[in-house]
Amino acid sequence: MDEKEFNKLKVCDFDELPGPKSKEELDEMKMPFEEYCRKAFDVGNEFAKPEALKGIRWMSTTMYIFTPHSVANLAELGAECIKVEMPRMGDPMRHTSPFNEAYLYPLHDTRPMTGTGYGFLNANVNEYYITLDYHVPESKRVFYDLVKMSDGLTECYRHGTFDRWKQGYRQVAEMNPRFIYVWGGGFGYGPKIFGGSYDILGQAHAGLASITGTHEDFGGHATKCTNWCIDWYSGTQITSCIMAALNWRLKTGLGTMIEFSQVQAATRMCGYTAPLYGRFGIVRQRWGNWDTQLCVHGIIMTGKSDFPDRPNPQEKFEARYVMVSAFGDADFKALCDVIRKPDLFSSYKTHKERVGAPAQMEIYKAIEDFAADKTRAEMVKILKEAGILAEPVLNDKEVYESEHF
């Protein structure tokens, strides 16, 4: 598109837009984009900025990570969030490690009455904390008063529990018609509606674990993601639902009830797995650190660690992995030249030829053979100098100390 065609798309001149009142202000807005973003976002002064959800008050009768995270997201956007916990025991997540190892959940039921582990703090930031045994008659009035002065509630009890205690959506909507009520359950409505759920259950029952890890032909097996990815993912999705409900309330003046299934959310993380079976009857296989749709686009292992003398095994033995992406024909040719395997490009000149399983097995083996006498840092340097996209797989220490983050 030339300049003349581009100008036809404009409905006004940038200089005419409201905002700058002087040439200096206008020049500031026309500064290089990165410089403009740095000034606009004002990195380092985030807490001095206006908060998007200031004025919203939200109740959280939640536990563990899945539903608490959905409320913590609101708190980070400026909402006043009130975490309501049972007296003495509190949210069970308080009693998990790290740094509260006296209670090794779920191995036994001896809970310390003091101490809070990092797991709880990570999922419940920026909130107010109160204790209230809200299902006993003496506390009902306090709970109802909170409902009347709040915008919404998130709870995670078994289906129908709050309704049985007369504090479910049907009851609170009569006290506050603008109230937004969220039930975050394990399975959602269906035959297993009364079943509870944990992150690992969600990964297993939704099929995610079956496509995670290395294929059995390579000595692998179904694998659980190390972190509680379903908890965090589901909580963020609930936050999106709440934002939509707040917008709905602006239009109608009414609240609503949101029902969210942790297990069903996990199926969305499986990508095209369900449509693939529904349309073609194909059961998706595990593919390890390679990509089923792109080649080369995966993680390879080098022969030497970047930190061979470190006492921490995670650094000493694991600092050997590199992400490499060279699925375009020109990039793949450059990669083959780097690893001194020009015959590979001759055999697999097109992406369609190299994305198949036999081709990927041969290609990735050749890359790792080349990397067998190199460290992670050396391999990344070699690939980048050849114009190939490559990055080291970092551990949490490296991420924490990274200047970028």
Side-chain angles (χ1 to χ4, degrees):
M1 179 182 294
D2 58 27
E3 188 71 20
K4 187 176 181 181
E5 288 180 299
F6 177 76
N7 287 332
K8 288 180 181 179
L9 299 174
K10 296 166 64 175
V11 295
C12 68
D13 191 81
F14 185 75
D15 294 354
E16 299 172 356
L17 292 173
K21 299 296 186 292
S22 67
K23 185 179 184 302
E24 289 73 20
E25 291 181 15
L26 186 61
D27 290 340
E28 185 177 90
M29 292 185 69
K30 288 185 174 181
M31 67 176 63
F33 185 67
E34 286 190 16
E35 188 179 338
Y36 168 77
C37 289
R38 190 176 295 111
K39 187 175 181 64
F41 297 144
D42 196 15
V43 177
N45 292 303
E46 290 84 359
F47 296 109
K49 298 178 183 179
E51 297 175 308
L53 295 183
K54 186 176 182 179
I56 296 294
R57 179 180 290 122
W58 204 268
M59 298 169 61
S60 175
T61 56
T62 60
M63 293 177 284
Y64 299 109
I65 297 174
F66 160 38
T67 43
H69 178 57
S70 69
V71 181
N73 289 333
L74 301 178
E76 292 201 64
L77 292 171
E80 179 187 286
C81 297
I82 303 171
K83 172 88 172 182
V84 185
E85 301 178 70
M86 297 297 286
R88 287 179 57 80
M89 185 177 73
D91 182 341
M93 198 66 192
R94 286 185 180 272
H95 313 304
T96 59
S97 48
F99 307 120
N100 199 20
E101 280 76 10
Y103 173 46
L104 301 177
Y105 174 85
L107 300 182
H108 61 73
D109 206 33
T110 307
R111 296 175 177 147
M113 294 298 111
T114 60
T116 296
Y118 265 9
F120 175 86
L121 298 174
N122 203 21
N124 295 273
V125 296
N126 278 25
E127 299 178 19
Y128 295 98
Y129 306 98
I130 66 172
T131 58
L132 179 69
D133 194 354
Y134 40 76
H135 71 288
V136 299
E138 296 85 349
S139 299
K140 290 293 184 188
R141 186 52 181 257
V142 177
F143 182 87
Y144 294 149
D145 286 344
L146 282 172
V147 166
K148 290 179 180 179
M149 64 176 68
S150 300
D151 294 277
L153 158 77
T154 300
E155 59 106 339
C156 64
Y157 284 71
R158 296 295 177 94
H159 171 70
T161 300
F162 267 36
D163 190 81
R164 189 170 67 253
W165 291 344
K166 299 194 182 308
Q167 55 196 50
Y169 178 67
R170 293 191 295 180
Q171 292 87 15
V172 299
E174 294 179 334
M175 304 174 194
N176 183 354
R178 293 172 53 82
F179 201 76
I180 298 168
Y181 186 101
V182 179
W183 173 60
F187 289 87
Y189 290 100
K192 295 187 177 182
I193 190 169
F194 294 103
S197 176
Y198 289 103
D199 177 272
I200 189 172
L201 190 153
Q203 292 190 42
H205 196 274
L208 181 61
S210 74
I211 61 169
T212 303
T214 306
H215 196 279
E216 289 184 9
D217 289 354
F218 300 93
H221 48 75
T223 304
K224 169 193 174 295
C225 293
T226 301
N227 199 5
W228 302 304
C229 62
I230 300 302
D231 282 341
W232 301 113
Y233 176 77
S234 299
T236 300
Q237 283 198 313
I238 288 181
T239 305
S240 300
C241 295
I242 291 172
M243 301 298 280
L246 287 169
N247 186 58
W248 167 258
R249 194 177 68 177
L250 283 175
K251 296 178 180 179
T252 65
L254 297 173
T256 189
M257 179 179 179
I258 298 169
E259 176 268 328
F260 193 93
S261 163
Q262 182 189 38
V263 173
Q264 290 175 22
T267 63
R268 301 188 69 177
M269 292 190 68
C270 295
Y272 59 81
T273 301
L276 183 68
Y277 177 76
R279 178 66 179 84
F280 301 105
I282 297 174
V283 178
R284 186 178 175 185
Q285 301 294 295
R286 291 186 297 281
W287 208 236
N289 284 329
W290 308 344
D291 194 287
T292 57
Q293 304 295 301
L294 300 170
C295 181
V296 172
H297 193 68
I299 293 173
I300 59 106
M301 184 175 70
T302 63
K304 298 179 180 179
S305 168
D306 279 0
F307 313 112
D309 300 322
R310 295 282 175 85
N312 187 323
Q314 186 72 14
E315 296 180 89
K316 184 175 182 177
F317 300 113
E318 298 296 319
R320 297 190 296 160
Y321 295 93
V322 175
M323 183 286 298
V324 56
S325 180
F327 54 85
D329 294 343
D331 290 335
F332 181 64
K333 184 178 185 306
L335 176 62
C336 292
D337 291 340
V338 165
I339 65 174
R340 305 185 193 97
K341 289 286 185 178
D343 55 307
L344 272 181
F345 182 72
S346 300
S347 301
Y348 307 112
K349 288 186 176 181
T350 67
H351 184 262
K352 185 176 181 180
E353 291 174 317
R354 58 181 172 269
V355 79
Q360 291 210 37
M361 291 165 62
E362 181 180 356
I363 291 168
Y364 279 103
K365 182 180 184 304
I367 300 172
E368 292 195 342
D369 286 346
F370 175 78
D373 62 346
K374 299 170 182 63
T375 67
R376 181 184 65 172
E378 289 171 341
M379 192 64 184
V380 170
K381 184 174 183 292
I382 291 170
L383 293 173
K384 283 189 171 182
E385 287 178 348
I388 297 167
L389 178 60
E391 289 292 339
V393 176
L394 303 180
N395 60 41
D396 55 351
K397 177 178 181 292
E398 293 173 298
V399 171
Y400 188 89
E401 296 177 350
S402 168
E403 290 185 8
H404 176 80
F405 292 109

